[in-house]
Amino acid sequence: MAARPADPADPAGPRGSTDPKDPADSAGPVDRPAPGRAERRCLPLATAPGAVARSREFTRSALRAWGWLPGADDRTRTAAEDVLLMTSELVTNACQHAAGPYALELTRHGPLLRVEVRDADDRPPMLSLHREAARPGGHGLLVVDRLSAAWGSEPVEGGGKTVWLEIVRPPAEP
């Protein structure tokens, strides 16, 4: 699936898109990057149980470091809670449909946050639009589709894929 990242000026940016990106991982983030520089945090997930809980805590810690939590206002707190929910959905999907994720990466560039989950399955995620609301399961990508500015998947060299989402931090309330 090919596409482009969300435009920070347009929170309703394109859906289901991909962006070629530098695959370099960084173990330790810098809390205050130089202007125009992205911050990246990566969590390996392949060897330990509890991927969803570990991913949520890792994401919560990054959001605290980046000022999304505790949140200066309701919109920022709500956006941070949305990020935690969507991260859980992507990791859960990798656990249920792709034999588990092997990495979670968070990248912040100004107000834009990108969440990526890598797994070893080549099949792209499928958004199911015809689910019954009362039936459990199958709603994760619908949640991601509704709450993110953009999302998609891209193949990983050597096999597997990255499923990603982007969200723009709301401007601070006056």
Side-chain angles (χ1 to χ4, degrees):
M1 187 180 295
R4 62 182 174 71
D7 177 354
D10 180 13
R15 304 256 180 217
S17 56
T18 52
D19 171 39
K21 68 181 287 317
D22 179 4
D25 288 324
S26 171
V30 176
D31 285 335
R32 296 209 170 119
R37 233 175 132 182
E39 294 178 73
R40 185 171 290 138
R41 293 183 178 207
C42 188
L43 175 66
L45 293 168
T47 59
V52 175
R54 289 178 50 233
S55 296
R56 281 182 67 86
E57 190 51 44
F58 177 80
T59 303
R60 183 178 285 113
S61 175
L63 293 175
R64 277 191 205 112
W66 294 337
W68 289 55
L69 287 173
D73 53 53
D74 288 340
R75 291 187 325 171
T76 303
R77 274 189 300 280
T78 298
E81 291 168 6
D82 290 349
V83 169
L84 293 171
L85 173 62
M86 292 186 293
T87 299
S88 294
E89 292 296 343
L90 292 187
V91 174
T92 298
N93 280 353
C95 291
Q96 291 181 337
H97 305 293
Y102 65 83
L104 167 66
E105 184 174 296
L106 308 174
T107 305
R108 180 182 79 140
H109 193 278
L112 181 67
L113 176 65
R114 183 173 171 116
V115 177
E116 298 180 353
V117 176
R118 291 189 197 95
D119 64 57
D121 191 328
D122 293 331
R123 296 173 297 164
M126 302 298 291
L127 181 62
S128 177
L129 299 174
H130 304 291
R131 301 288 304 175
E132 289 184 41
R135 296 191 61 142
H139 303 287
L141 284 179
L142 286 173
V143 169
V144 171
D145 188 60
R146 295 225 171 112
L147 297 178
S148 68
W151 73 274
S153 71
E154 57 194 35
V156 172
E157 189 174 322
K161 69 179 172 297
T162 297
V163 180
W164 59 267
L165 68 88
E166 293 177 338
I167 186 168
V168 178
R169 180 182 173 154
E173 293 177 350

